[in-house]
Amino acid sequence: MSIDDKQTRQRNDRVTIRTVAARAGVSVAAVSKVMRNAYGVSEALRIKVTDAIDALGYRPSRAARGLRGRSFTIGVLLIDIRNPFLPEVIAGVNGVLAPSHYQAMIGVSDARVQLETSLIESMIDYKMDGLILVAPRLPSEIIAKFAVQIPIVAVGYHAAGATAFDTVNADDQRGAEIAVEALLAYGYRDIEMLSLGEREGHAVSVVRQREIGFRRAMQRGGLGSSAPIGKIPIASPKREEAMRKFLSRKDRPRAVFCWSDLDAITLLCLAMEMGVRVPEDLAVVGYDNSSTAALGLVNLASIDQSGRELGQVATQTLISRIEGRTGAEHILQIPSLVSRGSLELSDGTKQG
């Protein structure tokens, strides 16, 4: 660190709200009002204070603000960072927070209850104003206990009976139905679903909701209530081995609905490697409509649940909870199909 940098840092370390007030020629209370975006602050006062803050390089202590009230920080907890759906959710969160006084702090966990619990406790200890949990694996009663301490919105978590926290989801059952309906419309009748292993999902997870929708749509299409669902391990290399076995089966179905683009894209890559033509030999529909799905070499038909919109709605819902709303809200958004080459034959004709 240079001498100039050290001097700047030392100078900034000594800057307090009183220093800002003195520079702006206003009271400490006036500075506080501007920083809180309080009602009734004049534009002239706002300019005075913000000019002083910029000139002094003032950075308010979030810990101190948390002791006085709000820290204007929202925690976002992600469970599986590999999922290409997550950047859109985060973009939605940041889009709502950008013009506000809130900032997001992101924590990354995995499917371990102890680590997930520890990260939530840390966010509470840091005096964050609220939490957005994306596809949490914790039981709803544990989330409810945390929600007594801090406002919580869960995304990708179907707990419509929860009263202590809010949920924002795509209608995952309907999304799976749309995928099956599209395959049926293109003439495919031999259809399976590739899902996660039994221990990788629970009743409130998107995985199980999509399985319910798949079976219901298959039954409604006259294909039976016990429609086949293959279970894929979540971890490599067993995950890829299971997909290779699926592609090598003599009784391989003519079409497959994958629970997520995460597995659908891997399946497409393995199919190309093994000489299985898509969609001529196997039609594939994924779920999430991730940015990767739209790439020309991937060209994956996928269910779009608008991750960006989910992030926006979750953030708006959380802020309303922080500001005093007490009744639980459980919001469902209707997904849609984005049809691409993994579903459509190149000449535009339908199967059969």
Side-chain angles (χ1 to χ4, degrees):
M1 181 182 294
S2 69
I3 294 175
D4 287 344
D5 287 341
K6 287 181 179 179
Q7 289 175 340
T8 300
R9 182 172 179 178
Q10 289 169 355
R11 185 170 65 250
N12 289 344
D13 286 345
R14 292 194 296 268
V15 175
T16 68
I17 193 171
R18 294 183 184 279
T19 315
V20 173
R23 170 104 182 192
V26 299
S27 68
V28 170
V31 175
S32 179
K33 283 183 178 181
V34 171
M35 292 175 60
R36 289 186 289 108
N37 198 26
Y39 177 77
V41 173
S42 69
E43 187 61 22
L45 175 59
R46 189 184 310 280
I47 291 172
K48 274 186 180 181
V49 172
T50 54
D51 284 352
I53 288 172
D54 290 343
L56 295 168
Y58 175 56
R59 292 175 57 84
S61 166
R62 289 193 175 272
R65 291 170 76 182
L67 291 173
R68 294 194 299 271
R70 294 186 191 176
S71 66
F72 292 94
T73 305
I74 286 174
V76 181
L77 182 60
L78 311 175
I79 301 304
D80 186 359
I81 199 171
R82 301 171 309 148
N83 196 320
F85 165 69
L86 294 179
E88 284 296 301
V89 177
I90 295 169
V93 172
N94 287 334
V96 173
L97 295 183
S100 75
H101 288 275
Y102 290 95
Q103 290 185 345
M105 300 291 285
I106 296 174
V108 179
S109 182
D110 57 25
R112 286 186 292 161
V113 170
Q114 184 176 1
L115 177 57
E116 194 173 344
T117 300
S118 175
L119 284 170
I120 292 174
E121 289 172 343
S122 295
M123 288 178 171
I124 293 173
D125 290 343
Y126 275 104
K127 305 295 182 183
M128 293 186 181
D129 294 322
L131 303 180
I132 296 174
L133 310 181
V134 183
R137 302 295 180 92
L138 294 175
S140 114
E141 58 268 22
I142 293 180
I143 296 178
K145 288 181 180 178
F146 284 126
V148 173
Q149 305 174 60
I150 188 171
I152 290 177
V153 175
V155 179
Y157 192 88
H158 291 268
T163 57
F165 60 93
D166 305 312
T167 62
V168 174
N169 295 288
D171 188 337
D172 287 292
Q173 290 188 26
R174 181 62 193 137
E177 290 176 348
I178 291 170
V180 173
E181 290 166 3
L183 289 167
L184 292 173
Y186 273 89
Y188 301 106
R189 304 289 293 175
D190 183 11
I191 306 169
E192 289 190 20
M193 177 180 179
L194 286 184
S195 185
L196 286 183
E198 293 291 350
R199 293 194 303 170
E200 303 301 339
H202 41 81
V204 298
S205 74
V206 300
V207 181
R208 299 300 165 239
Q209 294 295 306
R210 292 170 194 174
E211 289 179 359
I212 292 169
F214 172 76
R215 286 199 169 100
R216 186 162 58 221
M218 292 287 283
Q219 183 175 22
R220 193 164 56 230
L223 301 178
S225 58
S226 57
I229 297 179
K231 303 293 186 177
I232 302 295
I234 196 170
S236 296
K238 291 183 178 180
R239 175 169 167 260
E240 289 78 12
E241 289 172 3
M243 290 187 190
R244 288 181 186 278
K245 287 181 180 178
F246 169 81
L247 291 168
S248 299
R249 279 170 40 191
K250 291 183 179 179
D251 64 342
R252 184 186 66 223
R254 185 62 188 80
V256 61
F257 164 54
C258 290
W259 78 276
S260 168
D261 287 359
L262 188 66
D263 279 342
I265 291 170
T266 301
L267 186 71
L268 290 180
C269 293
L270 292 173
M272 180 180 293
E273 178 186 313
M274 297 172 66
V276 177
R277 298 173 303 163
V278 176
E280 291 83 359
D281 301 326
L282 178 68
V284 182
V285 177
Y287 204 112
D288 289 335
N289 192 33
S290 59
S291 58
T292 308
L295 295 175
L297 291 177
V298 178
N299 211 11
L300 173 67
S302 187
I303 300 298
D304 184 7
Q305 59 176 330
S306 187
R308 187 178 297 256
E309 188 174 347
L310 286 176
Q312 291 170 347
V313 173
T315 308
Q316 292 161 351
T317 303
L318 181 62
I319 291 174
S320 73
R321 173 77 84 161
I322 291 170
E323 292 178 346
R325 176 178 52 81
T326 55
E329 290 189 356
H330 299 288
I331 300 170
L332 276 182
Q333 301 191 154
I334 303 300
S336 60
L337 172 73
V338 178
S339 186
R340 297 192 181 96
S342 68
L343 171 62
E344 301 172 344
L345 293 171
S346 58
D347 61 2
T349 61
K350 294 184 178 180
Q351 176 66 20

